[in-house]
Amino acid sequence: MLGSVFGDIVGSRFEFNNILTKKFEFITDENRFTDDSVMTIAIEQAILDCCGDYSLLSQYAVKRMREFGLKYLNRGYGGRFYQWLKTPNAKAYGSCGNGSAMRISAIGYIANSIDECKALSKAVTEVTHNHEEGIKGAEATAVCVYLARKDYNIMQIEDYVETHYYHLTQTVKEIRKTKDHFDILCQETVPQAITCFLESDSYEDAIRNAVSIGGDSDTLAAIVGGIAEAYYGFPEKFRQITLDKLTEELRSVYLEFEKKFLKT
């Protein structure tokens, strides 16, 4: 979703240069889309390929992730995913990395029920991230998007996450103070991202929360951005900025997905 893509682009400048404050300029010439955006749009294309029949979604996800990943190879992929991209017919590799959650937001928009959301999330996740925590992190993210889209309030979303996925024990301020390493695992990144959303009061505030806690800033902001867009909507003032940062190919896939699933 555009909310995930914009979060990725905003966070890209701080991934290896954490800022640890909410006061920063959103977009400069240094900001660019990373692997988070490429894979988010690859999943959107896989969904479009299905034409409403999601029985082959896993196969289309593999096809499109490899296709888009190899076209945009120098965008910051993790080492094991990079090898998966470059190895024809490679199987899932037991990952619980946060890459499963950063690409999943579109699932929350196409699902017609929580159960379908979980099933479709698993279908596009287990082809690479088949560790139980990788599947869980993606599912938790997709379900948060789904619940936000269905007008659940923040307290209801928090309750669902606490009941089914994670105990959210730290505030944004506490995470910011105690984070002393670069989180790449779902079980670390996803609860922190959800907390950044839960403590927000707008889409922009959610993204600022995500960047301010440090760590894997682009992935955190991509995850948060997908949930926050579903809850608050995506600010029109950021729309053209985001589209202009994409290539023509990636932009056209997103716009086709938007036309089919987001426009009423």
Side-chain angles (χ1 to χ4, degrees), residues 51-96:
C51 298
D53 177 3
Y54 299 119
S55 60
L56 297 179
L57 180 58
S58 291
Q59 292 92 316
Y60 283 125
V62 169
K63 175 185 176 181
R64 293 305 190 176
M65 284 194 291
R66 280 218 169 92
E67 176 188 337
F68 283 72
L70 292 172
K71 281 183 181 178
Y72 303 95
L73 200 53
N74 298 314
R75 291 286 165 169
Y77 302 98
R80 295 171 75 191
F81 187 80
Y82 182 87
Q83 290 303 315
W84 179 86
L85 282 178
K86 298 200 73 175
T87 306
N89 302 316
K91 304 299 183 184
Y93 48 90
S95 176
C96 59

